Amino acid sequence: MDGQEALPSLPPPPLPQLTSQNPPYLFTPSLLPSSSLHPSIIEPQVLPDIDWVGLLSGQSGLGENRPIMESASMVAENGAEEEKGNKDKKKGGRMKKATRPRFAFQTRSADDILDDGFRWRKYGQKAVKNSKYPRSYYRCTHHTCNVKKQVQRLSKDTSIVVTTYEGIHNHPCEKLMETLTPLLKQMQFLARF
DNA sequence: CGATTTTGACCTGCGC
DNA sequence: GCGCAGGTCAAAATCG
């Protein structure tokens, strides 16, 4: 069925607060609605039923209906786990059930690919049943980062793109850093006076 | 020439 | 056990 296409349109939930428990780069501009990085996005929508608190704290979700989001039990995303995990998998196919957090949101956009500040490499595209449009698979190009995302346009409402993120970035957003670095330098310079 | 995209083959999980 | 659907790999093509 087209589970992803039956997503209700609800206002985005409150954004999670970063605490000392959370990885420093857990939520980046990619998840911030109305981010200035996304001029083309008119109506960002975070999927409902996402247990942000659980997601962040490592506890499992509460929602009963989770159209896209999988269980949010957090696996150690950083460091050794990812590289070694990759060795277990053979060519193609699903590996062990992903236990990494997944979250998705809809955006109303003419572009399938929205610029979320990270660099992504496309590694696959697949036609999906009950959908006119193919689903595209992307992986974060950062060496140590194993985050993936899927992008799919709804066939019911072709102006809506569903983006599903899987995993958590363990590095800063490049674009954000590019923007902030000169500002920081300038501030440091001015602070000397 | 390195990085990225395209695309068909391959693999796995799941329902029947 | 079989077939389908989804997810990934990797070689070739394309791009900057």
Side-chain angles (χ1 to χ4, degrees):
Chain A
M1 271 312 205
D2 48 353
Q4 297 197 359
E5 308 207 359
L7 297 171
S9 297
L10 293 178
L15 287 167
Q17 291 186 339
L18 290 178
T19 70
S20 56
Q21 304 174 359
N22 301 320
Y25 311 121
L26 186 53
F27 290 94
T28 62
S30 65
L31 295 178
L32 296 177
S34 309
S35 162
S36 59
L37 293 171
H38 309 156
S40 60
I41 299 174
I42 302 168
E43 256 179 55
Q45 291 176 343
V46 182
L47 290 178
D49 300 315
I50 294 180
D51 173 22
W52 294 101
V53 176
L55 230 183
L56 289 167
S57 63
Q59 293 159 4
S60 209
L62 306 162
E64 292 177 356
N65 306 318
R66 273 174 268 170
I68 289 185
M69 186 182 166
E70 301 290 332
S71 165
S73 61
M74 290 263 260
V75 177
E77 283 291 331
N78 358 339
E81 187 250 344
E82 356 178 305
E83 294 290 334
K84 305 209 166 145
N86 279 345
K87 287 194 177 170
D88 286 343
K89 74 184 162 213
K90 297 180 185 174
K91 181 180 177 181
R94 274 171 273 194
M95 296 122 267
K96 307 160 201 170
K97 261 211 159 162
T99 51
R100 55 170 67 195
R102 287 175 50 161
F103 39 90
F105 57 90
Q106 301 177 27
T107 53
R108 199 176 291 278
S109 167
D111 294 326
D112 286 354
I113 302 172
L114 49 98
D115 182 2
D116 56 13
F118 290 95
R119 299 189 59 197
W120 300 94
R121 172 163 38 239
K122 189 175 186 174
Y123 67 89
Q125 179 171 304
K126 209 48 183 159
V128 180
K129 221 188 166 198
N130 296 324
S131 178
K132 273 192 272 186
Y133 300 94
R135 177 179 299 160
S136 298
Y137 301 88
Y138 298 87
R139 214 194 303 271
C140 182
T141 59
H142 195 92
H143 294 94
T144 61
C145 186
N146 206 24
V147 176
K148 296 174 198 165
K149 75 172 179 181
Q150 301 177 3
V151 177
Q152 185 177 10
R153 187 171 289 277
L154 296 188
S155 53
K156 278 183 191 166
D157 186 344
T158 59
S159 65
I160 292 182
V161 176
V162 177
T163 306
T164 305
Y165 286 87
E166 184 177 317
I168 293 162
H169 294 281
N170 58 10
H171 59 96
C173 170
E174 291 177 22
K175 190 161 268 185
L176 191 63
M177 293 308 284
E178 274 177 29
T179 307
L180 291 180
T181 300
L183 276 172
L184 283 171
K185 281 188 179 170
Q186 195 169 3
M187 286 176 70
Q188 284 171 351
F189 177 75
L190 291 173
R192 293 165 56 190
F193 299 104

